[in-house]
Amino acid sequence: IAHVLDPLVDPQYRQLDQGYSKTFASTHPDTVQNDFVRGYKRSSVDALDWADDKLLLADAQDNTLRLFDIVKGEKDRSWTGDWMAVQTDPNNPHIAAAASWSGRFRVFDIRASSAGIFDLDMKKQSPAFKEFLSLSWQPSSQRIALSTRSDQVYMLDVRDPQHLKLGAQHVSHAEVNQVAFAPDGESLWLAMGGWPAKLNVLPIPS
């Protein structure tokens, strides 16, 4: 009864929530299939995102970003690098952005294994541009936010495919675990570590 009357669940979504609870309640560690995606046998994945009907997976085991066809159960293509974060363009499922631990940043077409729209070794511009942990596309696809292990957040302007521009920068005094744009694209939310945990909200300049 307590669950049915959970005040955090909107009444119109109560039945859907109960369905989720029933599904995940059955995923006991002894019954979960770790190799759920047929044919994908890897021990460590740092990031993943859907790219149309396929999965982009950053494989930490052998430093490879893979485009995986889950229907066929096989790799479609791959890109070498110590990738830590990957996300597809919210307005184009064939375009993705990825950032690596060593400072590489790519925006590329997943339908080709060749050089992408942007393919840069960021640490050549500044020693601080490395050890990337997360990234987020602005809903309008105009900017990409990156966060690093040193708790710095960078805003990259990707509107001009010929020139990548560095926009606003933010240095946090607490651990930044994840970044995400608000649905309207007018603010960037930071998931902060420490105790108590916090969410910081940064306005995005027009």
Side-chain angles (χ1 to χ4, degrees):
I1 297 178
H3 175 74
V4 174
L5 300 179
D6 188 343
L8 298 180
V9 178
D10 190 303
Q12 64 177 320
Y13 300 120
R14 183 174 298 161
Q15 185 174 358
L16 183 62
D17 179 69
Q18 290 175 334
Y20 286 147
S21 297
K22 182 178 180 181
T23 299
F24 289 106
S26 64
T27 56
H28 187 275
D30 294 335
T31 61
V32 172
Q33 296 183 14
N34 295 323
D35 190 22
F36 180 80
V37 178
R38 178 167 49 87
Y40 193 83
K41 298 178 175 65
R42 301 290 164 181
S43 63
S44 180
V45 175
D46 284 323
L48 80 162
D49 194 21
W50 285 101
D52 199 12
D53 59 348
K54 300 177 182 179
L55 274 177
L56 272 170
L57 302 115
D59 191 336
Q61 183 180 20
D62 56 6
N63 291 335
T64 303
L65 178 65
R66 284 180 167 80
L67 181 65
F68 199 80
D69 189 321
I70 63 172
V71 175
K72 297 180 180 179
E74 61 187 27
K75 179 187 74 174
D76 198 0
R77 56 181 52 87
S78 62
W79 301 264
T80 302
D82 52 345
W83 307 105
M84 296 297 295
V86 62
Q87 192 176 89
T88 53
D89 184 333
N91 298 294
N92 187 342
H94 301 301
I95 301 297
S100 77
W101 183 257
S102 59
R104 191 176 177 189
F105 172 75
R106 290 197 69 180
V107 176
F108 58 101
D109 192 322
I110 65 170
R111 295 168 293 185
S113 298
S114 58
I117 302 169
F118 297 111
D119 190 355
L120 304 169
D121 185 351
M122 300 286 286
K123 67 177 181 299
K124 289 184 177 180
Q125 307 299 319
S126 170
F129 293 152
K130 63 180 181 179
E131 300 178 344
F132 294 121
L133 293 179
S134 68
L135 68 80
S136 178
W137 280 89
Q138 190 175 27
S140 64
S141 304
Q142 296 181 350
R143 299 177 178 89
I144 294 175
L146 295 170
S147 69
T148 71
R149 183 190 181 192
S150 57
D151 305 320
Q152 300 183 68
V153 179
Y154 301 101
M155 196 73 63
L156 302 179
D157 189 324
V158 295
R159 284 176 286 189
D160 185 348
Q162 303 301 319
H163 299 93
L164 179 67
K165 298 179 181 178
L166 177 63
Q169 304 177 51
H170 174 77
V171 179
S172 175
H173 298 294
E175 179 182 355
V176 179
N177 293 325
Q178 184 74 28
V179 296
F181 277 96
D184 60 9
E186 296 183 359
S187 60
L188 182 70
W189 291 59
L190 313 182
M192 313 300 295
W195 182 263
K198 296 180 180 179
L199 293 176
N200 284 359
V201 183
L202 304 178
I204 303 301
S206 58

